Amino acid sequence: MARMLGELLDLVVPRSCAGCGAETVTLCADCAAGLDSPLISQVPRYGTRTVVASGEYAGVLRAGLVGYKEHDRRDLVRILGLLLARAVVGALEARPLADLPVLLVPVPSARGAVRRRGADHVAALAAQAALV
């Protein structure tokens, strides 16, 4: 029901770009261009494991994640899921030994956050990434 109301609201008052707020699209071309590649790095505290992220938690990516999780911008799940899938592919390409598994583990959201947000957004992102 909430999703249907959100879609109806989008028809009446279209959403703005999650990055800059300028256009009535989910993410404008300029902001999308800023999300070009995952970050891959060796992080010493994790030993020899390669850590891959969808990008730096700043700018457009941060605005998109906050909008998705805190402001019911569920229209961003496909874009964010694609970014997460690219990070997983980056992890597959960066792993030192091909026989080691790559795990995508969504950290469970707190029950209060799930109730407040109306969904488990992290699980939804992981599910979307698995579809790509």
Side-chain angles (χ1 to χ4, degrees), residues 33 35 37 73 80 86 102 107 128:
L35 302 173
S37 62
R73 289 293 307 263
L80 296 172
R86 285 190 342 193
V102 172
V107 177
Q128 183 66 38

Side-chain angles (χ1 to χ4, degrees), residues 34-124:
L35 302 173
D36 58 356
S37 62
L39 298 174
I40 301 172
S41 64
Q42 295 286 339
V43 179
R45 69 175 181 221
Y46 295 114
T48 59
R49 297 290 183 199
T50 299
V51 176
V52 180
S54 296
E56 183 180 349
Y57 186 66
V60 174
L61 182 57
R62 182 184 184 285
L65 286 167
V66 169
Y68 172 67
K69 290 173 65 178
E70 301 299 335
H71 303 293
D72 202 31
R73 289 293 307 263
R74 295 183 191 196
D75 57 317
L76 294 168
V77 71
R78 287 191 176 126
I79 293 168
L80 296 172
L82 177 61
L83 292 173
L84 180 56
R86 285 190 342 193
V88 171
V89 169
L92 289 169
E93 292 172 348
R95 62 189 174 159
L97 301 173
D99 59 342
L100 293 177
V102 172
L103 304 174
L104 176 59
V105 181
V107 177
S109 297
R111 287 185 292 226
V114 172
R115 277 192 306 275
R116 183 173 37 84
R117 295 174 181 153
D120 187 343
H121 288 66
V122 176

